[in-house]
């Protein structure tokens, strides 16, 4: 369950390094791919929930860092709400 970081480019051109306590993000996102905002959010929710569940199975408690990252993703995406054609690019995934 290696920590994994992935870099995304938001619709405004800003790049951000995101965190997951698990490599599950590499199963859900692909470097070089862009995702419509709604699809990206759905995938991020799945990834962070799975990552947190993996931590819980291994250590007996959910991963607050995964849920905090999801909160930040949701807040960032809210700034693009209503922006037609908003896409988020997955640039890089590393462990």
């Amino acid at each position: 369950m290696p920590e994994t970081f992935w870099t995304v480019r938001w619709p405004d051109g800003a790049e951000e390094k995101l965190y997951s306590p698990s490599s599950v993000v590499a199963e859900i996102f692909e470097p070089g791919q862009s995702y419509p905002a709604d699809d990206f959010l759905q995938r991020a929710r799945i990834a962070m929930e799975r990552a947190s569940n993996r931590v819980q199975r291994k250590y007996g408690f959910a991963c607050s860092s995964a849920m905090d990252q999801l909160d930040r993703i949701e807040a960032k995406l809210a700034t693009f709400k209503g922006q037609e054609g908003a896409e988020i690019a997955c640039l890089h995934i590393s462990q």
Side-chain angles (χ1 to χ4, degrees), residues 79-95:
T79 66
F80 304 111
K81 189 171 179 131
Q83 182 178 333
E84 193 170 324
E87 290 195 344
I88 296 83
C90 178
L91 303 177
H92 182 71
I93 298 175
S94 63
Q95 297 177 351

Side-chain angles (χ1 to χ4, degrees), residues 6-66:
W6 83 105
T7 305
V8 299
R9 182 181 310 115
W10 300 107
D12 63 3
E15 293 182 10
E16 184 175 356
K17 189 175 190 178
L18 306 177
Y19 169 80
S20 172
S22 166
S23 60
V24 68
V25 296
E27 299 169 12
I28 296 175
F29 293 100
E30 185 177 337
Q33 292 294 315
S34 292
Y35 303 90
D38 289 343
D39 183 35
F40 183 88
L41 179 56
Q42 181 179 356
R43 289 169 181 266
R45 285 179 176 150
I46 291 167
M48 294 298 97
E49 288 171 8
R50 285 185 187 170
S52 182
N53 289 341
R54 286 181 180 183
V55 169
Q56 185 165 10
R57 282 194 303 274
K58 186 168 184 173
Y59 297 106
F61 53 86
C63 181
S64 61
S65 294

